[in-house]
Structures are given as structure tokens and as C-alpha cells.
Amino acid sequence: MKTHTLLMPLDMHLHLRDAVMLETVAPLSAYSFSGAIIMPNLVPPVDTKEAVVEYKERIMAAVPNDFFEPYMTLFYKNYDKAFLADVAEEITAIKLYPAGITTNSEGGVSAFDIEEMRETLDAMAELGIPLCVHGETDGFVMDREAEFMSIYELLAQNFPKLKIIMEHITTKAAVEMLDKYENLYATITVHHLILTLDDVIGGMMMPHHFCKPIAKRPEDLDALLSVALEAHPKVMFGSDSAPHPQSAKESCGCAAGVFTAPIALQLLCEIFDQFGKLDNLQAFVSDNAQSIYGICPEFKEVTLKQRTFVVPEKYGNVVPMFAGEAIAWAIESVD
Ligand code: DOR
Ligand code: ZN
């Protein structure tokens, strides 16, 4: 049976939530990842230095026995330069949400007015703070990401020194943007390397496959696979693991988010192995992120083995993707 070892896996887009949910999910990521970029869409959003510091403390308290670095983010607003200079040492990036586009994003950006954003984005470029973006408009659901490409272009052209991360890309259009601007990068989730819209609503409606951005067409999946499997140097793994209580998913008005944190590395091994690309997985789950963000995580070695792993039905009150199903790889050891 095949084994595969990954060094310092990083999850460059992770929702850990707070309180009981944080206590349930944080240890699962801390077990197999060296670190993760932590999303700030709490209620209220993480938008002050105190909120960043206190949230990081709560995360660390939830993972007492594991080495795990929470790379903190701030919720994007138009901040002044003095504030950003003060908060810079506590954060790794700033996350921008278009207002109202997804879970807890009401306080996000309602109009992309470059002049209004200029002080903040110039200061971020100067301070070396990357901008992570949820790139969707409020258009027709299948077109939202493609429609956002013109905003990425505007940002990339106006702020050439700012590192812009297109988060959880789902389309061929976004893949094609990568090589167009030097300062554009992307994260890709594991579920978007598996699902198309058919797996969400093509048969029975699957609440645990429903997320934003929604999974797209087969040709989009192919485009995502092509850059992930080759570990294109501008793409990184970011799970966008987004836990919601079972009652919020399996209900009328299903919350958006796929919970993958505890099965992400296993699924990635399965996918990369299927395509004969296991040797490229290290770059996709760690090395590219280290170069793009200039981070240096502490040592962690995760060995996976090709053997059946039945995904638990639940972690606390959260149902993971593929609950109860067998996947082909399992974590064998973590050192
Ligand atoms: O599906 C999603 N869930 N997409 C997001 O952008 C946010 C996330 C969440 O926080 O639940
Ligand atoms: Zn997210």
C-alpha cells in the first residue's frame, strides 16, 4: 500500500468560528496542518487590533496540545495608514468581502470605488499585507465569479505592488487571470476539485455540497484541476472549510459552506494520486504558500496511507463532506 508524506501542510483559507464551534473544529485542523489563514467573518467581524489579538488567543486556547499557527486576518474596511501600520504585526492578510455576498459579510465593501480604497490598498502594498478577496458579484449565481474578473483587473492594475489572492476560485475565467497579472494569486478548495453543480443540485439536493462560490461546470473543474495538479506556483490550497451546525445545513434555507478540514489532506492525496501527480502535492499544500506569503511554518510531518477511511458521520454537531462514505486515503501518523 502506498504512503505519502507531506511536510508542514498549510490551509490558506479556513473558517474556525468561535466558542463551542471553535472548540470542535480547531483541534481537527491543528492535528494535520501546521498553520492556516483564519477568516475574520465572525459576528461582529474581526476589524480591530484587539479583536485580532483576542481571537488568536481563543484559537490557541482551543488547540492546547498541537503546534498550529493561526495566521490572522482582518476584515477589510477602508482603514487609514496609521491603523494598518499598528495592526500589521498581528495579521498576515486582510480579507475583503463584497457586502452581503456570503455568510456574515454585511459590513463588507458595497462599491468598488478605487479612489475610496486607495489609501488602504496603497498602505497594504507598502506594509506587505496581502489582500484576500471573495470574488463574486451579486449577479446570476453561475456568473458571479466570472463577472468579478473586471474588479480583479482593476485592483491588479491600480495596485501592482499589492499581492491579491483570488480566494476559492471556481472558474476557468479565474484560472486564466492568474498569468495575466503578476500580482494575482489564488487559493483552491478540495471540494472545488471534485464537485460540479451536478453534485450539488443535479440529483437529490445536497446541502453538504452547497457553498459560495457554488461549484460550476465540468470545464471549470478541468481548469481548476489543471493548475492544482501541476501545482502552478501562483495557486495554493485553501480549504474554505466552513462549518455550520447540522440544523443550519439540513434545513429550509441551507447555510453555505462545506466542512472539509478533517478530511482535506486525505482527499487531496486521493485526487493527486488518481492523476499520478502525488509528487506535486507538497507544492500545492505548502511550498507555494510559503513563497507567496513569505511564511515559514514550524516543522510538521504528516504521513498518509492508501487505505480505506470511512468519514465520520459528524464532528460535534457538524456534518463533514462525504459523511459515512469511504475515501481512499487516511492519515497514518503526524510528527
Ligand atoms: O460557502 C461559504 N461559506 N462561502 C463563504 O464565502 C463563507 C463561508 C462561511 O463563512 O460559511
Ligand atoms: Zn471562506
Side-chain angles (χ1 to χ4, degrees):
M1 266 188 233
K2 259 189 272 191
T3 62
H4 189 71
T5 296
L6 296 170
L7 299 178
M8 288 93 80
L10 295 168
D11 182 346
M12 303 309 283
H13 183 131
L14 178 64
H15 297 269
L16 287 180
R17 317 297 192 203
D18 217 337
V20 176
M21 181 65 92
L22 171 65
E23 283 164 23
T24 303
V25 301
L28 301 169
S29 286
Y31 173 64
S32 53
F33 288 91
S34 270
I37 294 273
I38 309 299
M39 290 298 124
N41 62 332
L42 304 183
V43 183
V46 180
D47 60 0
T48 65
K49 185 175 175 181
E50 295 68 42
V52 171
V53 170
E54 289 167 13
Y55 187 31
K56 184 170 181 176
E57 282 169 8
R58 295 197 297 281
I59 294 168
M60 295 311 285
V63 293
N65 300 319
D66 277 298
F67 176 78
F68 178 72
E69 179 71 36
Y71 297 103
M72 303 304 291
T73 64
L74 188 73
F75 190 95
Y76 183 93
K77 291 181 179 167
N78 291 330
Y79 297 110
D80 64 35
K81 189 173 173 185
F83 168 78
L84 291 172
D86 184 47
V87 77
E89 63 186 13
E90 302 295 343
I91 59 171
T92 303
I94 294 182
K95 174 70 188 284
L96 184 155
Y97 290 95
I101 215 69
T102 189
T103 313
N104 305 335
S105 63
E106 289 68 26
V109 172
S110 42
F112 285 83
D113 181 328
I114 291 294
E115 291 323 311
E116 271 180 26
M117 301 171 83
R118 192 169 291 283
E119 179 178 357
T120 311
L121 296 177
D122 276 343
M124 286 173 62
E126 202 174 302
L127 293 161
I129 305 171
L131 176 73
C132 300
V133 182
H134 182 117
E136 288 194 285
T137 67
D138 60 1
F140 178 65
V141 68
M142 288 294 279
D143 298 335
R144 287 176 191 174
E145 184 173 291
E147 285 175 2
F148 200 86
M149 293 303 127
S150 57
I151 300 178
Y152 279 130
E153 298 210 56
L154 202 62
L155 292 169
Q157 284 164 359
N158 275 276
F159 305 96
K161 298 224 156 62
L162 178 68
K163 281 191 176 168
I164 301 166
I165 325 282
M166 302 186 283
E167 294 294 331
H168 44 54
I169 58 170
T170 59
T171 55
K172 189 162 177 265
V175 167
E176 286 167 358
M177 287 296 285
L178 276 171
D179 293 322
K180 214 167 154 189
Y181 295 94
E182 207 181 318
N183 56 333
L184 279 186
Y185 304 84
T187 59
I188 301 180
T189 75
V190 69
H191 49 281
H192 289 121
L193 292 177
I194 299 172
L195 306 175
T196 68
L197 186 64
D198 262 1
D199 301 300
V200 187
I201 54 164
M204 299 275 264
M205 200 201 276
M206 303 297 273
H208 300 291
H209 293 174
F210 172 64
C211 65
K212 292 185 176 174
I214 198 145
K216 304 289 189 314
R217 308 179 66 86
E219 50 270 40
D220 296 304
L221 173 61
D222 289 345
L224 296 172
L225 280 168
S226 70
V227 278
L229 292 168
E230 293 309 323
H232 185 298
K234 296 175 90 181
V235 305
M236 310 166 262
F237 173 62
S239 70
D240 198 14
S241 177
H244 292 276
Q246 183 174 19
S247 58
K249 292 291 290 174
E250 298 176 9
S251 76
C252 177
C254 165
V258 181
F259 180 55
T260 53
I263 57 163
L265 293 180
Q266 298 89 318
L267 287 177
L268 285 170
C269 272
E270 182 168 347
I271 298 165
F272 277 64
D273 183 45
Q274 265 168 14
F275 287 92
K277 295 287 181 184
L278 263 182
D279 287 347
N280 291 347
L281 184 53
Q282 177 62 33
F284 182 63
V285 294
S286 187
D287 301 355
N288 290 355
Q290 290 185 46
S291 334
I292 293 166
Y293 273 90
I295 54 178
C296 207
E298 276 192 42
F299 191 78
K300 187 176 268 188
E301 186 179 78
V302 183
T303 300
L304 295 106
K305 192 170 190 175
Q306 193 180 32
R307 65 171 164 81
T308 300
F309 167 58
V310 178
V311 177
E313 293 287 349
K314 278 197 220 180
Y315 294 88
N317 67 347
V318 189
V319 178
M321 188 187 191
F322 295 143
E325 291 181 43
I327 59 179
W329 283 74
I331 293 180
E332 189 70 3
S333 64
V334 180
D335 297 298

mmCIF file of all heavy atoms in Angstrom, residues 37 57 80 84 94-95 104-105 114 120 125 127 142 168 171 177 202 214 230 253 284 304 306 314 321 327 332:
data_model
loop_
_atom_site.group_PDB
_atom_site.id
_atom_site.type_symbol
_atom_site.label_atom_id
_atom_site.label_comp_id
_atom_site.label_asym_id
_atom_site.label_seq_id
_atom_site.Cartn_x
_atom_site.Cartn_y
_atom_site.Cartn_z
ATOM 1 N N ILE A 37 -4.637 30.263 7.363
ATOM 2 C CA ILE A 37 -5.112 31.649 7.288
ATOM 3 C C ILE A 37 -6.544 31.636 7.824
ATOM 4 O O ILE A 37 -7.417 30.941 7.283
ATOM 5 C CB ILE A 37 -5.082 32.155 5.833
ATOM 6 C CG1 ILE A 37 -3.637 32.252 5.325
ATOM 7 C CG2 ILE A 37 -5.831 33.477 5.698
ATOM 8 C CD1 ILE A 37 -2.912 33.541 5.617
ATOM 9 N N GLU A 57 -5.973 34.430 20.595
ATOM 10 C CA GLU A 57 -5.834 33.777 21.915
ATOM 11 C C GLU A 57 -6.888 32.684 22.099
ATOM 12 O O GLU A 57 -6.596 31.609 22.625
ATOM 13 C CB GLU A 57 -5.975 34.819 23.039
ATOM 14 C CG GLU A 57 -4.712 35.638 23.209
ATOM 15 C CD GLU A 57 -4.904 36.855 24.130
ATOM 16 O OE1 GLU A 57 -5.995 36.975 24.759
ATOM 17 O OE2 GLU A 57 -3.975 37.663 24.186
ATOM 18 N N ASP A 80 -7.241 53.638 7.769
ATOM 19 C CA ASP A 80 -6.162 54.577 7.451
ATOM 20 C C ASP A 80 -4.800 53.925 7.703
ATOM 21 O O ASP A 80 -4.692 52.879 8.330
ATOM 22 C CB ASP A 80 -6.328 55.925 8.166
ATOM 23 C CG ASP A 80 -6.253 55.805 9.665
ATOM 24 O OD1 ASP A 80 -5.470 54.967 10.148
ATOM 25 O OD2 ASP A 80 -6.986 56.547 10.356
ATOM 26 N N LEU A 84 -3.283 50.678 10.029
ATOM 27 C CA LEU A 84 -2.708 49.476 9.409
ATOM 28 C C LEU A 84 -1.279 49.232 9.878
ATOM 29 O O LEU A 84 -0.885 48.094 10.131
ATOM 30 C CB LEU A 84 -2.765 49.594 7.883
ATOM 31 C CG LEU A 84 -4.179 49.534 7.310
ATOM 32 C CD1 LEU A 84 -4.166 49.867 5.820
ATOM 33 C CD2 LEU A 84 -4.793 48.144 7.529
ATOM 34 N N ILE A 94 -5.448 40.709 4.851
ATOM 35 C CA ILE A 94 -6.753 41.336 5.087
ATOM 36 C C ILE A 94 -7.728 40.712 4.101
ATOM 37 O O ILE A 94 -7.402 40.518 2.930
ATOM 38 C CB ILE A 94 -6.675 42.866 4.915
ATOM 39 C CG1 ILE A 94 -5.772 43.455 6.022
ATOM 40 C CG2 ILE A 94 -8.076 43.494 4.950
ATOM 41 C CD1 ILE A 94 -5.638 44.962 6.026
ATOM 42 N N LYS A 95 -8.911 40.360 4.590
ATOM 43 C CA LYS A 95 -9.901 39.661 3.762
ATOM 44 C C LYS A 95 -11.028 40.600 3.367
ATOM 45 O O LYS A 95 -11.702 41.170 4.239
ATOM 46 C CB LYS A 95 -10.465 38.466 4.541
ATOM 47 C CG LYS A 95 -11.617 37.740 3.855
ATOM 48 C CD LYS A 95 -11.161 36.975 2.609
ATOM 49 C CE LYS A 95 -12.340 36.425 1.830
ATOM 50 N NZ LYS A 95 -12.952 35.265 2.425
ATOM 51 N N ASN A 104 -22.097 36.350 6.956
ATOM 52 C CA ASN A 104 -21.541 37.431 7.794
ATOM 53 C C ASN A 104 -20.676 38.430 7.022
ATOM 54 O O ASN A 104 -19.590 38.800 7.472
ATOM 55 C CB ASN A 104 -20.717 36.870 8.966
ATOM 56 C CG ASN A 104 -21.502 35.885 9.799
ATOM 57 O OD1 ASN A 104 -22.735 35.946 9.823
ATOM 58 N ND2 ASN A 104 -20.831 34.985 10.473
ATOM 59 N N SER A 105 -21.132 38.839 5.867
ATOM 60 C CA SER A 105 -20.337 39.780 5.075
ATOM 61 C C SER A 105 -21.031 41.137 4.933
ATOM 62 O O SER A 105 -20.626 41.957 4.105
ATOM 63 C CB SER A 105 -20.092 39.193 3.676
ATOM 64 O OG SER A 105 -21.327 39.030 3.010
ATOM 65 N N ILE A 114 -12.249 52.764 -6.472
ATOM 66 C CA ILE A 114 -10.794 52.663 -6.313
ATOM 67 C C ILE A 114 -10.238 53.850 -5.522
ATOM 68 O O ILE A 114 -9.350 53.692 -4.686
ATOM 69 C CB ILE A 114 -10.118 52.551 -7.703
ATOM 70 C CG1 ILE A 114 -10.462 51.199 -8.333
ATOM 71 C CG2 ILE A 114 -8.610 52.746 -7.621
ATOM 72 C CD1 ILE A 114 -9.892 49.979 -7.624
ATOM 73 N N THR A 120 -6.054 52.757 1.783
ATOM 74 C CA THR A 120 -5.921 51.441 2.423
ATOM 75 C C THR A 120 -5.042 50.507 1.593
ATOM 76 O O THR A 120 -4.121 49.868 2.114
ATOM 77 C CB THR A 120 -7.318 50.788 2.566
ATOM 78 O OG1 THR A 120 -8.193 51.745 3.137
ATOM 79 C CG2 THR A 120 -7.267 49.549 3.430
ATOM 80 N N ALA A 125 0.014 47.608 0.390
ATOM 81 C CA ALA A 125 1.119 47.258 -0.510
ATOM 82 C C ALA A 125 2.448 47.641 0.141
ATOM 83 O O ALA A 125 3.410 46.868 0.142
ATOM 84 C CB ALA A 125 0.944 47.973 -1.848
ATOM 85 N N LEU A 127 3.117 48.062 3.320
ATOM 86 C CA LEU A 127 3.399 47.276 4.532
ATOM 87 C C LEU A 127 3.541 45.782 4.236
ATOM 88 O O LEU A 127 3.810 44.983 5.122
ATOM 89 C CB LEU A 127 2.275 47.483 5.559
ATOM 90 C CG LEU A 127 2.160 48.886 6.162
ATOM 91 C CD1 LEU A 127 0.774 49.101 6.777
ATOM 92 C CD2 LEU A 127 3.252 49.103 7.210
ATOM 93 N N MET A 142 -24.346 31.551 -11.335
ATOM 94 C CA MET A 142 -23.275 30.859 -12.068
ATOM 95 C C MET A 142 -22.276 31.835 -12.702
ATOM 96 O O MET A 142 -21.203 31.432 -13.131
ATOM 97 C CB MET A 142 -23.881 29.969 -13.164
ATOM 98 C CG MET A 142 -24.584 28.744 -12.633
ATOM 99 S SD MET A 142 -23.441 27.574 -11.847
ATOM 100 C CE MET A 142 -22.778 26.728 -13.290
ATOM 101 N N HIS A 168 -10.691 30.899 -3.159
ATOM 102 C CA HIS A 168 -11.550 29.775 -3.580
ATOM 103 C C HIS A 168 -12.083 29.921 -5.001
ATOM 104 O O HIS A 168 -13.287 29.992 -5.227
ATOM 105 C CB HIS A 168 -12.707 29.554 -2.601
ATOM 106 C CG HIS A 168 -13.417 30.792 -2.131
ATOM 107 N ND1 HIS A 168 -13.941 31.719 -2.989
ATOM 108 C CD2 HIS A 168 -13.690 31.244 -0.882
ATOM 109 C CE1 HIS A 168 -14.496 32.684 -2.282
ATOM 110 N NE2 HIS A 168 -14.354 32.428 -1.012
ATOM 111 N N THR A 171 -13.699 28.906 -11.403
ATOM 112 C CA THR A 171 -13.978 29.022 -12.838
ATOM 113 C C THR A 171 -12.704 29.028 -13.692
ATOM 114 O O THR A 171 -11.625 29.418 -13.227
ATOM 115 C CB THR A 171 -14.712 30.348 -13.157
ATOM 116 O OG1 THR A 171 -13.918 31.419 -12.633
ATOM 117 C CG2 THR A 171 -16.101 30.384 -12.563
ATOM 118 N N MET A 177 -6.943 34.280 -15.384
ATOM 119 C CA MET A 177 -6.442 35.563 -14.864
ATOM 120 C C MET A 177 -5.055 35.420 -14.235
ATOM 121 O O MET A 177 -4.306 36.382 -14.137
ATOM 122 C CB MET A 177 -7.383 36.099 -13.774
ATOM 123 C CG MET A 177 -8.676 36.632 -14.293
ATOM 124 S SD MET A 177 -8.403 38.062 -15.344
ATOM 125 C CE MET A 177 -8.032 39.277 -14.103
ATOM 126 N N GLY A 202 -27.886 18.454 -9.149
ATOM 127 C CA GLY A 202 -28.229 17.689 -10.354
ATOM 128 C C GLY A 202 -29.081 16.475 -10.095
ATOM 129 O O GLY A 202 -29.805 16.000 -10.968
ATOM 130 N N ILE A 214 -20.601 28.727 -5.643
ATOM 131 C CA ILE A 214 -21.148 27.404 -5.926
ATOM 132 C C ILE A 214 -20.252 26.687 -6.943
ATOM 133 O O ILE A 214 -19.579 27.340 -7.748
ATOM 134 C CB ILE A 214 -22.606 27.548 -6.434
ATOM 135 C CG1 ILE A 214 -23.342 26.216 -6.307
ATOM 136 C CG2 ILE A 214 -22.659 28.071 -7.876
ATOM 137 C CD1 ILE A 214 -24.787 26.364 -5.951
ATOM 138 N N GLU A 230 -0.751 20.554 -11.384
ATOM 139 C CA GLU A 230 0.607 20.954 -11.787
ATOM 140 C C GLU A 230 1.255 21.817 -10.716
ATOM 141 O O GLU A 230 2.401 22.233 -10.866
ATOM 142 C CB GLU A 230 0.579 21.701 -13.129
ATOM 143 C CG GLU A 230 0.177 20.839 -14.320
ATOM 144 C CD GLU A 230 0.968 19.531 -14.421
ATOM 145 O OE1 GLU A 230 2.174 19.528 -14.120
ATOM 146 O OE2 GLU A 230 0.349 18.497 -14.772
ATOM 147 N N GLY A 253 -33.535 26.752 3.708
ATOM 148 C CA GLY A 253 -32.620 27.890 3.766
ATOM 149 C C GLY A 253 -31.274 27.414 4.265
ATOM 150 O O GLY A 253 -30.805 27.804 5.329
ATOM 151 N N PHE A 284 1.535 22.265 -3.715
ATOM 152 C CA PHE A 284 0.169 22.799 -3.638
ATOM 153 C C PHE A 284 -0.269 23.025 -2.190
ATOM 154 O O PHE A 284 -0.939 24.005 -1.895
ATOM 155 C CB PHE A 284 -0.797 21.840 -4.356
ATOM 156 C CG PHE A 284 -2.227 22.306 -4.379
ATOM 157 C CD1 PHE A 284 -2.588 23.477 -5.022
ATOM 158 C CD2 PHE A 284 -3.227 21.555 -3.753
ATOM 159 C CE1 PHE A 284 -3.912 23.914 -5.042
ATOM 160 C CE2 PHE A 284 -4.551 21.979 -3.770
ATOM 161 C CZ PHE A 284 -4.891 23.165 -4.412
ATOM 162 N N LEU A 304 0.445 9.937 5.068
ATOM 163 C CA LEU A 304 -0.859 9.381 4.695
ATOM 164 C C LEU A 304 -0.648 8.039 4.016
ATOM 165 O O LEU A 304 0.399 7.792 3.414
ATOM 166 C CB LEU A 304 -1.604 10.346 3.760
ATOM 167 C CG LEU A 304 -1.964 11.667 4.439
ATOM 168 C CD1 LEU A 304 -1.089 12.790 3.963
ATOM 169 C CD2 LEU A 304 -3.432 11.996 4.233
ATOM 170 N N GLN A 306 -2.566 4.847 1.630
ATOM 171 C CA GLN A 306 -3.684 4.490 0.763
ATOM 172 C C GLN A 306 -4.416 3.299 1.380
ATOM 173 O O GLN A 306 -4.088 2.144 1.113
ATOM 174 C CB GLN A 306 -3.177 4.145 -0.637
ATOM 175 C CG GLN A 306 -4.287 4.061 -1.658
ATOM 176 C CD GLN A 306 -3.761 3.721 -3.031
ATOM 177 O OE1 GLN A 306 -2.773 2.997 -3.161
ATOM 178 N NE2 GLN A 306 -4.390 4.241 -4.063
ATOM 179 N N LYS A 314 -20.339 12.683 11.924
ATOM 180 C CA LYS A 314 -20.382 14.039 12.495
ATOM 181 C C LYS A 314 -19.132 14.308 13.312
ATOM 182 O O LYS A 314 -18.530 13.391 13.864
ATOM 183 C CB LYS A 314 -21.564 14.150 13.469
ATOM 184 C CG LYS A 314 -22.889 14.413 12.856
ATOM 185 C CD LYS A 314 -23.822 14.911 13.941
ATOM 186 C CE LYS A 314 -25.192 14.314 13.778
ATOM 187 N NZ LYS A 314 -26.101 14.802 14.821
ATOM 188 N N MET A 321 -18.193 16.858 4.713
ATOM 189 C CA MET A 321 -18.389 16.365 3.344
ATOM 190 C C MET A 321 -18.132 14.856 3.349
ATOM 191 O O MET A 321 -17.254 14.378 4.061
ATOM 192 C CB MET A 321 -17.379 17.064 2.422
ATOM 193 C CG MET A 321 -17.581 16.799 0.957
ATOM 194 S SD MET A 321 -16.207 17.508 -0.001
ATOM 195 C CE MET A 321 -16.846 17.362 -1.646
ATOM 196 N N ILE A 327 -13.336 6.910 1.839
ATOM 197 C CA ILE A 327 -12.386 7.562 0.941
ATOM 198 C C ILE A 327 -11.101 6.732 0.952
ATOM 199 O O ILE A 327 -10.900 5.894 1.830
ATOM 200 C CB ILE A 327 -12.166 9.059 1.259
ATOM 201 C CG1 ILE A 327 -11.650 9.290 2.664
ATOM 202 C CG2 ILE A 327 -13.468 9.825 1.068
ATOM 203 C CD1 ILE A 327 -11.399 10.763 2.968
ATOM 204 N N GLU A 332 -1.888 8.415 8.549
ATOM 205 C CA GLU A 332 -1.242 7.312 9.256
ATOM 206 C C GLU A 332 -0.510 7.822 10.495
ATOM 207 O O GLU A 332 -0.592 7.221 11.555
ATOM 208 C CB GLU A 332 -0.235 6.658 8.279
ATOM 209 C CG GLU A 332 0.374 5.381 8.738
ATOM 210 C CD GLU A 332 -0.614 4.210 8.760
ATOM 211 O OE1 GLU A 332 -1.779 4.385 8.365
ATOM 212 O OE2 GLU A 332 -0.197 3.134 9.202
#
